[in-house]
């Protein structure tokens, strides 16, 4: 399973969310699952229960300091396929090179 998600605190004193989002990304990185972060989303790959547990922990980290949390999540559920966090991009790049 490949999941792209974005989590952000809402209702804080500042419009900057970088510090809070960094706490959530730290949870993802410490999970040991394949992951990468871009300007808008963090992607994580693994089995359903382990990925969802990490997403839940990332949300909980923000809930500790924010009155409200926004979560956007998109999942590619494809049993029997691993390594898609890089393989999908490699296939795209191959088509672009052709």
């Amino acid at each position: 399973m490949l999941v792209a998600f974005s989590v952000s605190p809402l209702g804080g004193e500042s419009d900057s969310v970088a510090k809070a989002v960094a706490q959530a990304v730290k949870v993802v990185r410490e999970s040991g699952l394949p992951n990468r972060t871009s300007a808008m989303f963090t992607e994580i790959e693994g089995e359903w229960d382990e990925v969802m547990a990490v997403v839940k922990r990332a949300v909980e980290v923000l809930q500790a300091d924010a009155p409200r949390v926004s979560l956007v999540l998109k999942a590619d559920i494809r049993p029997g396929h691993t390594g898609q966090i890089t393989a999908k991009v490699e296939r795209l790049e191959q088509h672009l090179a052709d």
Side-chain angles (χ1 to χ4, degrees), residues 4-59:
F5 78 101
S6 171
V7 63
S8 180
L10 300 174
E13 295 180 13
S14 170
D15 63 349
S16 176
V17 296
K19 184 176 180 181
V21 171
Q23 293 174 338
V25 171
K26 184 176 179 184
V27 167
V28 174
R29 292 185 178 172
E30 289 176 349
S31 75
L33 295 175
N35 68 83
R36 67 177 168 208
T37 300
S38 68
M40 301 264 314
F41 286 95
T42 294
E43 297 172 1
I44 184 169
E45 186 172 24
E47 296 300 319
W48 179 281
D49 289 341
E50 61 189 1
V51 169
M52 291 304 176
V54 172
V55 172
K56 181 180 180 184
R57 284 195 309 272
V59 169

Side-chain angles (χ1 to χ4, degrees), residues 31-96:
S31 75
L33 295 175
N35 68 83
R36 67 177 168 208
T37 300
S38 68
M40 301 264 314
F41 286 95
T42 294
E43 297 172 1
I44 184 169
E45 186 172 24
E47 296 300 319
W48 179 281
D49 289 341
E50 61 189 1
V51 169
M52 291 304 176
V54 172
V55 172
K56 181 180 180 184
R57 284 195 309 272
V59 169
E60 290 171 343
V61 163
L62 297 189
Q63 284 179 317
D65 295 321
R68 191 173 180 184
V69 175
S70 170
L71 171 67
V72 176
L73 185 142
K74 181 177 181 178
D76 182 355
I77 304 162
R78 194 174 181 197
H81 290 79
T82 59
Q84 296 303 298
I85 199 166
T86 55
K88 290 178 86 167
V89 176
E90 289 168 358
R91 288 191 298 271
L92 173 67
E93 291 295 338
Q94 182 58 47
H95 286 291
L96 290 169

